[in-house]
Amino acid sequence: MAQQHYDAGDVTILEGLDAVRLRPGMYIGSTGSRGLHHILWEIVDNAIDEAANGYADKIEVRLYKDGSVSVEDNGRGIPTDIHPKTKVSGVQVVFTQLHAGGKFDEHNYSFSGGLHGVGASVTNALSKWLNVRVNKEGDTWEMGFRSYYDEKKQKVESGIPVAPLKKTGKCGKAHGTLVHFMPDDTVFSSVQFQLSTVEHRLRELAFLNMGLTITLTDERITMNEHAAQEGDDEVQQLDLLGATQPYSVTYRYEGGIADFAAYLNEGKNKLYPQPLYYKGERDGIFVEFAIQHTGEFTENLFSFVNNIPTPEGGFHEMGFRGGITRMLNDYARDNKLIKDKDPNFLGDDFREGITAVLSVKMKNVQFEGQTKTKLGNPEARAPVESVVVEGLRELAAAAKNKKTFDEIIKKAQGAARVRIAARQAKDTARAKNSIDSLQLVGKLAACSGRKPELNELFIVEGDSAGGTAKQARVRQFQSILPLRGKPLNVEKKRLDQVLANEEIRTIISALGAGVGNDFNLDKLNYHKVIILSDADQDGFHIRCILLTFFFRYMRPLVNAGHVYIGMPPLYKVYKQNGSAEEYAYDEEELQQKIEKVGRGYLVQRYKGLGEMSAEQLWRTTMDPMRRNLTQVTIEDAVAAEDMITTLMGDRVEGRKEFLNRNANFNKEDAFMDKVKFKKEADDEE
Ligand code: 1YM
């Protein structure tokens, strides 16, 4: 279909968008679900920048039934005047030119960049259509862009202006920008925006931008449908309004990241009622942090740079940790809480049970690491440390915080005592037993190959399945570690208790990379750590326990994508005479396989790994060419954190409710839904 389009007259602009069409992955990382959401975040980022600069305090995101999405803010509106160089409107420049930034000076700044920050033109280039409406200085302006097939060039042209920016009415005192677009389904493998993904990110952005109101409306579902999905019994199914009203939620946090820390600690036993919060600036680096300790034993730091999560850490986290250690040791000495002759606390002592949110804003960010979520700017470290020290000093000087700081020091004293006792116990054990790996000999069937990047460790539920796996494996690169009972649930346990557990110790020494703060990915013996448990409740529980352990004590292992779930089939479909044998991993596949095998089929349901022969286990679950392996990644650390606390911690109420709601373990286990699954050869990679 030939469309009317007006000639922008600037070839280089079109070539820019062409490059995006040609290699979308270069600009948005992937053309899977992640990339799809990325083009939404580009538009949201512009609205967030406008709010961060103090011109907007409201953002509305709307998901439509037709698959399109809109973002609106109440800021100044994208400039409508003609750009002197390109002779087209500011709106057109923003949506057709790559990296069209604003006019930044000391009053206006943009901290986008890094992961996002490729600009709104990328969204335009990867959309079927995109419409913009700007309200500015009394006038309403509109402009549309389309993608169409160019017969002459024999290719799709995208992001083409339909007409120049045009005045379409009066808007009175209203001001702001509305962008509505339809992702191109010939670019993305999936064009379904995921409500939970959008919700999580917008909630996070609301926490990170104190006082900003963000509303999300999903016209694809009603209030009641959403309540039913959430298992919310309190909402009346007969609520007439809720039956027609689209689902809508508003986020607004007056306390910003202090509210974030409180939210993360909901339902936990807190050492002091209010999180400590401070905001400061040093050398052009803006630092904000919130801290609240709980009765738990691990450290939970959620860090962000320019509103982007940095689960792999980096120099800002080093500065943060350094600042806490330095200030709190000074405080303890000044207040005679450490005796003159005694050594300082270690950083770990102060961070036992800490929940912290760190948000840093800076220019020219450099992201590094396996998933490009590690801050690589060394110059960030000292300013962050210095703001943290200054902030904690100021907070400690306030009379109302005295009790809080005393509690923190008391907790550190407990942690130090346990640390010293554990060290002594370990030294004695070592002397007695020369080395802990002795216990390993009987258990681990180690592979002969010495290349960690090729090696796989199967952690197998039960001795019997372990034995089968040992027969089935390829000795060169596959190691088998059978687990006898259930390993210890490490949630609510301190490191010394965790280390006293034999199953856990065996896993730690097999991996060879240490544990907790000493964990070192470079020493890892296996680049694939595969959990192999039965497809029943016990197996599900063991899987949760192991994932909780990795999440709490070997987080870099999970972040770097080394953890996998092995998926044994649930059914065998076969013929008595042996002329057919097929395997199915779920009910849907079972139906397909039954049809494939045809008349006279028999079905065997596997209740456990132990029922399989070595040959079957190899074919279905261990052979890299045929198995069904899924990678565990933490897409949303906050969701995973919440899920683990509910499932594995002491919130009994939440756990019961969760298990009731997700009683069908085979079909969908909601834990796995949060700690996201990825197929081994997903297009996202
Ligand atoms: C729903 C998406 O894009 N809002 C938005 C964008 C801009 C401005 C205001 C803006 C920025 C500046 C001056 C400036 C942008 N403008 C530009 C550019 N919401 C959304 N709201 N006036 C208005 O940065 O100086 C890029 S984004 F380049 F034209 F200035």
Side-chain angles (χ1 to χ4, degrees):
M1 178 177 64
Q3 284 203 10
Q4 277 281 314
H5 66 92
Y6 108 103
D7 194 343
D10 191 328
V11 183
T12 62
I13 288 176
L14 296 182
E15 275 174 358
L17 295 196
D18 256 6
V20 179
R21 283 297 286 208
L22 223 52
R23 287 201 189 77
M26 291 262 295
Y27 296 87
I28 56 167
S30 84
T31 51
S33 174
R34 244 210 174 93
L36 173 77
H37 289 85
H38 195 136
I39 67 167
L40 168 58
W41 307 141
E42 286 300 335
I43 305 300
V44 170
D45 277 356
N46 282 346
I48 292 279
D49 272 350
E50 188 67 356
N53 281 315
Y55 299 107
D57 62 3
K58 230 163 129 176
I59 297 176
E60 281 185 56
V61 176
R62 191 172 280 266
L63 300 167
Y64 298 86
K65 282 202 164 115
D66 64 0
S68 63
V69 55
S70 69
V71 183
E72 181 168 20
D73 68 48
N74 64 347
R76 292 166 294 175
I78 299 176
T80 53
D81 47 344
I82 300 294
H83 197 257
K85 225 166 149 191
T86 53
K87 311 263 191 303
V88 299
S89 65
V91 170
Q92 182 166 340
V93 172
V94 167
F95 287 94
T96 55
Q97 219 162 132
L98 282 178
H99 300 284
K103 318 151 221 171
F104 305 120
D105 50 36
E106 62 273 23
H107 306 294
N108 293 313
Y109 47 83
S110 164
F111 288 114
S112 353
L115 267 191
H116 307 146
V118 287
S121 59
V122 170
T123 305
N124 188 26
L126 301 176
S127 294
K128 279 240 131 86
W129 50 260
L130 182 146
N131 296 324
V132 188
R133 193 189 71 203
V134 172
N135 285 330
K136 205 176 171 77
E137 288 148 19
D139 294 314
T140 297
W141 300 78
E142 288 179 64
M143 181 165 188
F145 303 83
R146 298 284 177 276
S147 114
Y148 69 96
Y149 186 74
D150 188 317
E151 299 281 352
K152 266 206 216 108
K153 293 187 190 156
Q154 300 248 319
K155 69 181 180 80
V156 176
E157 292 279 2
S158 68
I160 308 299
V162 177
L165 182 70
K166 197 167 75 194
K167 254 188 223 179
T168 56
K170 296 280 169 200
C171 63
K173 284 204 165 69
H175 49 90
T177 305
L178 170 70
V179 176
H180 186 182
F181 66 95
M182 176 71 85
D184 191 334
D185 60 2
T186 63
V187 171
F188 296 101
S189 58
S190 149
V191 282
Q192 276 262 43
F193 285 104
Q194 217 62 54
L195 176 61
S196 59
T197 304
V198 178
E199 264 179 334
H200 276 127
R201 178 61 180 154
L202 294 181
R203 184 198 291 127
E204 189 170 272
L205 283 168
F207 277 130
L208 290 165
N209 294 275
M210 187 184 282
L212 174 64
T213 302
I214 304 184
T215 299
L216 167 64
T217 304
D218 189 346
E219 295 193 346
R220 301 169 306 177
I221 59 168
T222 65
M223 276 292 192
N224 282 358
E225 281 162 351
H226 182 266
Q229 278 169 24
E230 291 290 294
D232 213 335
D233 302 329
E234 283 159 43
V235 179
Q236 283 286 324
Q237 283 305 303
L238 290 174
D239 185 333
L240 284 177
L241 201 58
T244 52
Q245 203 91 325
Y247 170 67
S248 183
V249 56
T250 297
Y251 304 111
R252 176 167 200 258
Y253 301 103
E254 287 305 327
I257 59 171
D259 288 355
F260 199 169
Y263 169 84
L264 290 165
N265 278 346
E266 241 168 58
K268 292 185 186 174
N269 159 33
K270 279 142 322 233
L271 246 54
Y272 39 93
Q274 298 298 331
L276 293 166
Y277 169 83
Y278 188 77
K279 182 178 179 173
E281 182 264 345
R282 181 88 9 106
D283 304 333
I285 296 184
F286 295 78
V287 183
E288 235 183 308
F289 64 87
I291 293 174
Q292 189 179 37
H293 285 78
T294 69
E296 293 175 10
F297 304 107
T298 50
E299 173 193 354
N300 261 310
L301 170 58
F302 292 86
S303 65
F304 299 84
V305 176
N306 299 347
N307 290 331
I308 297 162
T310 43
E312 289 184 286
F315 287 98
H316 58 323
E317 286 197 359
M318 288 185 213
F320 179 71
R321 293 196 173 97
I324 291 183
T325 311
R326 180 147 68 88
M327 185 279 169
L328 289 175
N329 266 318
D330 289 353
Y331 177 88
R333 287 224 179 263
D334 291 349
N335 291 283
K336 303 271 178 276
L337 299 165
I338 306 179
K339 291 196 193 105
D340 285 342
K341 62 173 174 48
D342 283 351
N344 271 349
F345 289 111
L346 296 188
D348 291 352
D349 300 336
F350 291 125
R351 296 195 307 272
E352 192 185 271
I354 201 174
T355 296
V357 181
L358 170 68
S359 170
V360 171
K361 295 198 172 131
M362 61 184 287
K363 295 210 166 142
N364 307 319
V365 286
Q366 219 68 52
F367 285 110
E368 295 175 347
Q370 305 260 2
T371 52
K372 293 269 171 291
T373 58
K374 178 179 183 177
L375 181 66
N377 300 60
E379 74 274 18
R381 183 177 179 161
V384 172
E385 175 162 340
S386 134
V387 172
V388 170
V389 169
E390 154 196 299
L392 288 175
R393 282 207 183 120
E394 193 171 300
L395 287 160
K400 63 167 181 165
N401 288 330
K402 178 165 187 325
K403 255 174 95 180
T404 297
F405 278 81
D406 287 349
E407 286 292 337
I408 293 174
I409 302 293
K410 215 161 78 194
K411 171 113 181 160
Q413 283 166 335
R417 217 174 296 126
V418 171
R419 165 170 62 78
I420 292 161
R423 160 68 53 80
Q424 281 163 353
K426 222 164 138 191
D427 287 349
T428 354
R430 227 184 243 136
K432 245 195 274 167
N433 218 341
S434 89
I435 200 123
D436 358 13
S437 58
L438 268 183
Q439 293 145 322
L440 261 175
V441 179
K443 283 191 142 190
L444 177 78
C447 58
S448 55
R450 286 285 162 261
K451 290 207 173 111
E453 56 286 7
L454 300 180
N455 289 349
E456 304 180 340
L457 175 69
F458 285 85
I459 303 178
V460 187
E461 173 185 359
D463 269 342
S464 117
T468 316
K470 280 182 197 173
Q471 285 170 25
R473 69 173 175 150
V474 173
R475 167 182 299 274
Q476 278 74 15
F477 70 99
Q478 293 181 318
S479 295
I480 309 294
L481 180 62
L483 289 184
R484 297 227 163 89
K486 272 187 195 170
L488 177 81
N489 178 4
V490 301
E491 193 71 5
K492 299 193 297 177
K493 295 284 186 299
R494 48 199 332 150
L495 187 59
D496 59 317
Q497 294 169 305
V498 171
L499 292 179
N501 181 265
E502 201 178 314
E503 309 281 6
I504 298 279
R505 269 222 307 274
T506 317
I507 295 171
I508 297 169
S509 42
L511 292 182
V515 65
N517 291 312
D518 301 328
F519 186 80
N520 181 358
L521 259 189
D522 298 335
K523 292 195 183 153
L524 189 64
N525 288 333
Y526 302 94
H527 280 206
K528 284 204 168 82
V529 179
I530 302 164
I531 301 172
L532 203 54
S533 61
D534 292 339
D536 59 11
Q537 256 196 59
D538 264 357
F540 169 84
H541 194 209
I542 286 176
R543 199 196 275 179
C544 285
I545 287 179
L546 288 172
L547 286 176
T548 304
F549 169 67
F550 291 139
F551 186 73
R552 289 281 183 237
Y553 290 99
M554 298 186 176
R555 184 93 48 111
L557 183 78
V558 186
N559 283 342
H562 293 304
V563 181
Y564 295 82
I565 309 286
M567 298 295 227
L570 289 174
Y571 305 98
K572 179 167 95 170
V573 185
Y574 64 105
K575 282 220 174 107
Q576 188 80 59
N577 62 11
S579 63
E581 191 174 304
E582 296 285 336
Y583 297 91
Y585 293 85
D586 57 38
E587 329 274 310
E588 197 182 311
E589 203 178 3
L590 175 64
Q591 291 313 317
Q592 290 165 9
K593 291 294 159 76
I594 285 177
E595 271 163 42
K596 186 169 169 195
V597 170
R599 279 165 60 91
Y601 71 87
L602 292 166
V603 175
Q604 180 188 356
R605 167 147 168 63
Y606 290 115
K607 286 192 215 72
L609 294 162
E611 292 177 17
M612 268 183 238
S613 69
E615 210 273 327
Q616 286 172 337
L617 190 63
W618 165 255
R619 279 178 48 179
T620 61
T621 317
M622 293 174 71
D623 176 4
M625 304 299 286
R626 285 180 286 191
R627 68 190 175 196
N628 196 359
L629 209 59
T630 43
Q631 189 180 32
V632 178
T633 60
I634 307 289
E635 295 252 306
D636 190 320
V638 174
E641 168 65 37
D642 192 45
M643 194 57 52
I644 283 177
T645 315
T646 309
L647 268 178
M648 313 303 277
D650 43 18
R651 276 192 243 165
V652 182
E653 288 283 288
R655 180 162 56 223
K656 262 201 202 132
E657 185 200 305
F658 181 89
L659 289 177
N660 283 339
R661 243 196 284 148
N662 300 282
N664 193 339
F665 291 92
N666 294 334
K667 255 194 178 157
E668 49 161 82
D669 62 41
F671 177 84
M672 296 304 149
D673 198 47
K674 297 294 176 190
V675 180
K676 277 225 171 103
F677 264 2
K678 268 197 205 164
K679 284 266 184 303
E680 204 170 9
D682 195 292
D683 67 342
E684 305 260 324
E685 281 306 289

